Amino acid sequence: MGWFGGTQGHGDGAEPAPVSVGGADDGNWSGAGLLLGDDLVLTCAHVVNDALGRSLWETRPPGPVALRVVLRGEWDTAEHCPARVAHWIPPRDRDGGPVSESADVWSGDLAVLRIDAPSGRAPAPPRRAPLRAGQAVRAWHGGGREDTFADLQVKTDRGPVAYLDGEATGMAVSRGFSGGPLWSLHDEAVVGLLVAHYFVPPVDTTGRPRPFNPQDLIRRSWGYSWQTVQAELRAVGALESADPAPVGLDDPAFVVLMQEIDSAVPTASERGGIARRLAWECGVPPGSEVTPPTVEEFVSFLLSRPRALPALIGLLRRDRRDPEAVDRIQAAGHLSRVPRLLSTRELHGLHELLRRLDHEVVGRFAEAVRAALPLAAAFPGGGTLDALIDHLETLPGDGRAEDGEPRVPALLRAVEYFGELCGAQRAGVRLWSDGVAARLGIPRSAMGERRADAQEWGRVLRGRSLRTRVLVQVSRAEPGRHRLRIWCDEGAGPRQVSTDTSVSYSASGAARELLRVLETLGPSAGDGQRPLVEVLVDRTGLNLPIDEWEGHTPDQIVPGVLGVEFPLVVHCPELLRRHERFLPDWRRRWSRLDSGTTLVVSDATLDPNKIYYELMGRLDTVRVSVAADPALRDRVVQICLAVGVPVVVWDRGRDADGHVVERLAEVATRELPDGVRSYRANTLARPLEYPGRPVLAWADADRTVPRLHLTEPQEST
């Protein structure tokens, strides 16, 4: 255990506090959970999916949606806590693919929820221990009643899945037990997580009801050992404070940090006082109120707890220790890969700020990151806000620093940009940034420069109003007819307005339906722009002449041509999703929309693969204009979209004389939707002067696209 006590939970051997997990507005409980820390709860990903009304095997992260968690204590007390997904490990089969509905066992299927629990009100997390065959364990239903428990015996402990058998008497595992802890009665510790139960199919292979058979009384369930859970969670950074990794004696920071600690805190009494304060700051009990830890124990703790070093630096700064000595300790600690940027107190402070904001604002955090760090490495695949913050903590500071001064970390720069989206909460965000910067020893002038950059971005953003848009997924039905799914987005995200997706429309009928929806919307706020019509298609529908569809009826005065009245663009999520490795390039290119370059493709004999090679060497290209021969055009267009070029213009007509490309070259990239609309109007008014049939592919990385029934789903950004 060492002087800094406690590495496997903080409980004292008491049973884990019951945790219930459900949807925000549902009276039912989808499953149980396990308290990991003051504001973290572990459950199964399929429990979260069920609570949100999604398919149990949905793999996409839920986003910043609200869940409902109840922490139950003694004397029937219950603490109701809003929650959101912090870490997401979706269900997967043993080969890493999607789980089929008929699967008996699977992997992954874990979710860590960050709960909004009042400080100090959450029960202590229970102890954890390895799972072994033969252990007698207990599991509880997610409803939280003390009488709804099932007693089980661990039958296997090899591999990631552990099988458990229940007794013939007592309660059997059923729906609502998933995600709860497996509590070892002998070890007085959590040894795993219950995932699922084997149920007898209600019908036989012919579809007829199964007759009763005593052999059908199955009491077998399965779950994950704590060893498996620990490995999965540690891989996404979700266990760094609760289950620290052992320190390696070959860590390059070990000897240097020992020297700096011994120099800055030379007396045993001083070291003991700081160590006790550090232990409580990190949530572990000190080993002694009298005897101090050795320097080796002190450094081992700093290099095994990722947030211990920033906590120590904060204590030393508050004690007004020699700034240069504190800087040397900080620099020595960061020779190791273990310490993180933020202390536990600072991380909790950031999450408290985020909890006070509307979901729509929090959902734009990634937008601020892309603006603040346009050249940053790829975003993590976890898809949650916590995963993104964890990733930002690992990124180095920017290069604008005087000799010897610490650089401004990427996370602080991103938070400054995010503060520009926070309205009245901006002051709180800035105070948090100033506190972290002071603890890191970053000069106020350096933070002032980054804040000025963020303010300039905010001014540009506010000057560019968020355009109202209508999204319509168009899919082919029988020849000459199409099916529609329609959403409206006035700035808070897409809301579906079509309900019956089985109806098919002719071109004129589809135009009338879209015009009906568009008439219910006002212009975009601020500049009065017409709504943008964003047509979501698969790659076979990129050349559909949707902009030419007319909603004319005999009793109407005007033709009602969609692409003439409204800026209309196409978007192909399928191509982006099929080539996920280019998603970071797409986001980076979009972030440079106003400053990036344009590539014109006009060689009729060009090998399309050369476009791929050229775009790989020109990551600043945000727009491609294609005037190639029609035989090559579609291949070139799809290559551009697949590698993440956000804006592609071409002429879907048979000619390739470049008139569309030439005329639209005079239009700024951000103004292209309206420029193309104007060209289309001129085509109908003066066809000899405007002979083209322009198509504009437009993939906005800052606006959410709804889940689509395409070959591959589109990511919500």
Side-chain angles (χ1 to χ4, degrees):
M1 296 281 287
W3 192 93
F4 293 90
T7 60
Q8 294 292 320
H10 308 297
D12 56 1
E15 290 182 347
V19 178
S20 304
V21 180
D25 303 314
D26 190 352
N28 297 319
W29 298 109
S30 296
L34 167 66
L35 195 66
L36 284 181
D38 289 342
D39 64 347
L40 294 177
V41 164
L42 173 68
T43 187
C44 286
H46 81 260
V47 170
V48 173
N49 283 332
D50 182 76
L52 297 177
R54 310 198 309 170
S55 164
L56 292 184
W57 316 123
E58 177 62 73
T59 59
R60 294 182 309 152
V65 296
L67 291 156
R68 186 166 50 110
V69 169
V70 174
L71 307 179
R72 305 181 189 276
E74 297 179 348
W75 313 109
D76 294 327
T77 59
E79 197 72 58
H80 292 257
C81 308
R84 60 175 170 79
V85 175
H87 297 280
W88 181 252
I89 304 173
R92 60 182 187 269
D93 66 15
R94 291 184 173 180
D95 295 325
V99 178
S100 68
E101 295 289 341
S102 60
D104 290 327
V105 294
W106 50 87
S107 302
D109 199 8
L110 298 173
V112 177
L113 310 180
R114 189 170 295 280
I115 61 174
D116 188 4
S119 179
R121 298 280 291 276
R127 294 178 58 247
R128 271 91 70 173
L131 178 140
R132 303 184 305 275
Q135 285 174 319
V137 296
R138 178 165 290 178
W140 288 266
H141 187 271
R145 289 175 45 176
E146 63 179 14
D147 59 341
T148 55
F149 63 87
D151 285 332
L152 309 162
Q153 187 177 49
V154 179
K155 293 297 183 180
T156 65
D157 59 4
R158 295 182 180 180
V161 171
Y163 293 97
L164 312 115
D165 283 356
E167 301 176 0
T169 60
M171 179 169 283
V173 171
S174 61
R175 186 186 185 279
F177 277 79
S178 296
L182 295 172
W183 175 255
S184 169
L185 302 174
H186 178 267
D187 296 302
E188 295 186 330
V190 170
V191 296
L193 203 73
L194 186 62
V195 178
H197 180 71
Y198 283 95
F199 290 97
V200 178
V203 296
D204 60 21
T205 55
T206 67
R208 292 177 297 183
R210 292 173 60 94
F212 172 77
N213 186 330
Q215 296 295 326
D216 289 344
L217 296 178
I218 296 176
R219 291 278 183 146
R220 175 155 292 174
S221 304
W222 64 272
Y224 299 138
S225 67
W226 185 251
Q227 301 94 298
T228 297
V229 173
Q230 189 177 43
E232 291 271 14
L233 296 186
R234 183 165 281 152
V236 297
L239 271 185
E240 58 185 20
S241 59
D243 290 297
V247 62
L249 296 180
D250 58 346
D251 192 311
F254 198 93
V255 174
V256 181
L257 198 52
M258 279 184 57
Q259 294 171 347
E260 295 299 338
I261 293 290
D262 192 41
S263 174
V265 191
T267 67
S269 59
E270 273 190 300
R271 190 167 64 248
I274 292 175
R276 283 186 285 275
R277 292 163 61 198
L278 177 62
W280 292 118
E281 186 87 7
C282 295
V284 300
S288 170
E289 291 296 329
V290 178
T291 305
T294 65
V295 177
E296 291 87 347
E297 287 178 311
F298 203 118
V299 172
S300 294
F301 182 72
L302 294 177
L303 296 182
S304 63
R305 295 268 175 167
R307 304 201 182 276
L309 178 67
L312 172 65
I313 297 302
L315 290 174
L316 297 178
R317 298 278 191 207
R318 290 195 290 274
D319 289 348
R320 300 185 181 277
R321 297 263 174 173
D322 177 11
E324 292 185 0
V326 177
D327 289 343
R328 287 196 299 271
I329 293 174
Q330 183 168 259
H334 284 296
L335 293 174
S336 168
R337 294 185 176 183
V338 174
R340 302 302 293 270
L341 176 70
L342 302 179
S343 68
T344 300
R345 184 194 298 269
E346 290 164 345
L347 183 63
H348 285 182
L350 177 58
H351 284 297
E352 285 179 11
L353 286 170
L354 294 171
R355 289 190 191 109
R356 299 180 200 145
L357 298 169
D358 293 337
H359 291 317
E360 292 79 9
V361 175
V362 176
R364 299 181 68 186
F365 189 86
E367 176 187 348
V369 173
R370 285 192 289 272
L373 308 167
L375 300 179
F379 285 4
T384 67
L385 179 62
D386 288 63
L388 180 52
I389 291 173
D390 287 348
H391 176 66
L392 291 173
E393 282 194 84
T394 67
L395 298 182
D398 58 35
R400 292 162 55 188
E402 299 294 334
D403 291 341
E405 289 184 353
R407 295 178 174 181
V408 177
L411 176 60
L412 286 193
R413 181 172 172 83
V415 168
E416 284 295 327
Y417 276 65
F418 178 66
E420 293 299 309
L421 305 175
C422 295
Q425 298 289 344
R426 184 187 300 129
V429 173
R430 287 180 175 175
L431 284 173
W432 179 89
S433 291
D434 288 341
V436 176
R439 194 262 301 165
L440 292 170
I442 296 172
R444 295 181 64 87
S445 58
M447 282 301 297
E449 288 184 32
R450 308 321 184 270
R451 186 161 293 167
D453 293 342
Q455 289 171 335
E456 179 59 28
W457 174 74
R459 281 191 292 270
V460 172
L461 201 64
R462 287 186 289 274
R464 184 194 309 151
S465 64
L466 201 60
R467 190 166 199 164
T468 300
R469 61 179 182 155
V470 169
L471 301 101
V472 53
Q473 181 189 357
V474 178
S475 55
R476 299 177 190 269
E478 58 270 23
R481 301 185 70 84
H482 302 82
R483 292 189 176 89
L484 308 179
R485 294 177 73 205
I486 306 174
W487 299 260
C488 292
D489 181 4
E490 292 95 340
R495 56 179 178 84
Q496 188 164 352
V497 296
S498 62
T499 55
D500 189 353
T501 57
S502 64
V503 176
S504 66
Y505 298 88
S506 64
S508 60
R512 285 193 293 273
E513 177 65 12
L514 277 171
L515 289 170
R516 181 189 65 79
V517 173
L518 286 159
E519 285 174 350
T520 66
L521 299 173
S524 299
D527 58 7
Q529 289 181 312
R530 289 171 176 268
L532 177 74
V533 179
E534 187 171 335
V535 182
L536 308 171
V537 295
D538 61 21
R539 56 181 172 171
T540 66
L542 285 166
N543 286 310
L544 278 174
I546 301 167
D547 53 281
E548 299 175 7
W549 289 355
E550 296 186 22
H552 180 70
T553 59
D555 60 339
Q556 289 182 329
I557 299 173
V558 296
V561 182
L562 285 175
V564 170
E565 291 193 26
F566 297 93
L568 186 147
V569 301
V570 297
H571 183 23
C572 186
E574 175 194 355
L575 286 170
L576 278 170
R577 177 51 70 191
R578 278 182 176 272
H579 305 82
E580 284 194 349
R581 63 187 183 277
F582 296 109
L583 288 175
D585 293 339
W586 167 51
R587 297 187 181 108
R588 188 180 299 116
R589 292 181 197 268
W590 179 264
S591 70
R592 301 178 179 179
L593 195 65
D594 297 309
S595 59
T597 62
T598 298
L599 174 65
V600 178
V601 179
S602 58
D603 188 344
T605 63
L606 183 69
D607 177 359
N609 286 335
K610 290 185 178 179
I611 299 300
Y612 161 74
Y613 302 138
E614 187 155 3
L615 289 173
M616 290 300 93
R618 297 179 49 168
L619 293 179
D620 61 341
T621 298
V622 301
R623 168 178 169 180
V624 176
S625 298
V626 182
D629 185 271
L632 298 173
R633 177 195 61 208
D634 293 345
R635 174 81 187 281
V636 171
V637 166
Q638 291 188 30
I639 287 174
C640 293
L641 297 177
V643 302
V645 176
V647 179
V648 183
V649 184
W650 71 96
D651 186 341
R652 68 165 166 267
R654 293 183 179 275
D655 297 326
D657 61 3
H659 187 272
V660 166
V661 169
E662 181 181 345
R663 283 297 183 121
L664 294 177
E666 303 170 3
V667 181
T669 301
R670 195 174 292 278
E671 306 303 323
L672 271 176
D674 291 292
V676 171
R677 184 202 62 78
S678 178
Y679 187 105
R680 289 167 179 154
N682 285 322
T683 295
L684 296 179
R686 300 190 294 277
L688 295 179
E689 296 179 42
Y690 292 84
R693 301 174 68 195
V695 184
L696 172 60
W698 186 264
D700 188 337
D702 292 333
R703 303 290 295 271
T704 302
V705 171
R707 181 187 176 194
L708 306 177
H709 297 310
L710 295 171
T711 306
E712 295 287 343
Q714 162 68 12
E715 177 186 72
S716 289
T717 55

